[in-house]
Amino acid sequence: LPTKMITGSCLWGIGDLTAQVVPHYASGTDKPFVYDWPRTGRAVLFGFALHAPTSHLHFNFLEYLTNRVGVTGLGIPVFKTIMEQFVYWSWISNSMYHAAMGLMQGMTFHQIYQRLEDVLWDTQKAQWAFWIPVQLLNFQFVPVRHQLNVVLVTSIVWTALLSAWYPPVEEEEKPKEEAD
């Protein structure tokens, strides 16, 4: 688990770095590039403290559940992908991402709830398009002990997409907390 946490932090950091650098230089803008170190720090902390440990538990639980239900053969990757993407994990991991990023950006609970309400469904649809093919292959061909590693490496692209789609809210853009 500690190795997965360290790996997760590094790869989430690389994903955020990619999300910051590639669009800037691909746009051909003349503006000087200013790297957002706190943003990468949030991604690294999320990968280390939340994503890697909970993903480790998820993959072990998913393997247990698959064995308990008695799924075999080609049904294994299909069962695992359906459970992961539609029943519980994608909803948990995407909510955890948006909530953690909001907390680390100083959002209030109300603002985080609003953020989840605004972006979770679109994140889910993007997740399904991206992760379903990846996980079908991962669950079919990779031993359980290495499945999180495949996800962590593939997450460089996913993290870059998340960081690009949902950049930190600038201070002046943060909505004022509504009175209770």
Side-chain angles (χ1 to χ4, degrees):
L1 184 60
T3 301
K4 289 176 183 174
M5 292 170 70
I6 292 166
T7 303
S9 67
C10 293
L11 295 176
W12 274 82
I14 291 168
D16 183 71
L17 178 140
T18 303
Q20 290 188 56
V21 172
V22 170
H24 176 80
Y25 289 105
S27 71
T29 183
D30 291 335
K31 292 181 185 177
F33 178 70
V34 179
Y35 192 79
D36 187 347
W37 288 101
R39 172 179 158 168
T40 300
R42 291 188 294 269
V44 166
L45 182 59
F46 177 78
F48 178 83
L50 290 173
H51 186 262
T54 56
S55 293
H56 175 79
L57 293 172
H58 155 65
F59 282 103
N60 287 322
F61 173 72
L62 196 54
E63 182 66 11
Y64 165 80
L65 188 60
T66 304
N67 290 330
R68 181 85 172 147
V69 171
V71 180
T72 59
L74 292 176
I76 293 172
V78 173
F79 175 78
K80 285 183 174 184
T81 301
I82 289 170
M83 292 302 294
E84 178 185 80
Q85 294 300 316
F86 298 106
V87 176
Y88 75 98
W89 181 245
S90 69
W91 297 98
I92 292 169
S93 65
N94 287 329
S95 297
M96 189 170 56
Y97 171 79
H98 289 299
M101 290 300 133
L103 279 172
M104 290 189 276
Q105 291 174 48
M107 290 181 171
T108 65
F109 288 112
H110 175 74
Q111 291 167 328
I112 291 167
Y113 180 83
Q114 195 63 47
R115 177 181 178 150
L116 287 168
E117 196 172 68
D118 292 343
V119 302
L120 186 59
W121 180 243
D122 288 337
T123 305
Q124 284 298 123
K125 291 185 291 185
Q127 165 131 351
W128 295 330
F130 182 86
W131 282 108
I132 288 173
V134 170
Q135 290 298 63
L136 283 169
L137 294 170
N138 189 21
F139 293 141
Q140 178 63 33
F141 299 111
V142 179
V144 172
R145 68 182 178 280
H146 299 303
Q147 288 174 356
L148 179 54
N149 297 330
V150 170
V151 168
L152 289 172
V153 171
T154 309
S155 285
I156 292 173
V157 175
W158 179 244
T159 303
L161 291 171
L162 282 177
S163 293
W165 293 332
Y166 307 110
V169 177
E170 298 299 326
E171 198 59 43
E172 61 273 7
E173 294 176 14
K174 286 184 184 174
K176 300 276 188 226
E177 184 175 6
E178 296 176 8
D180 293 334

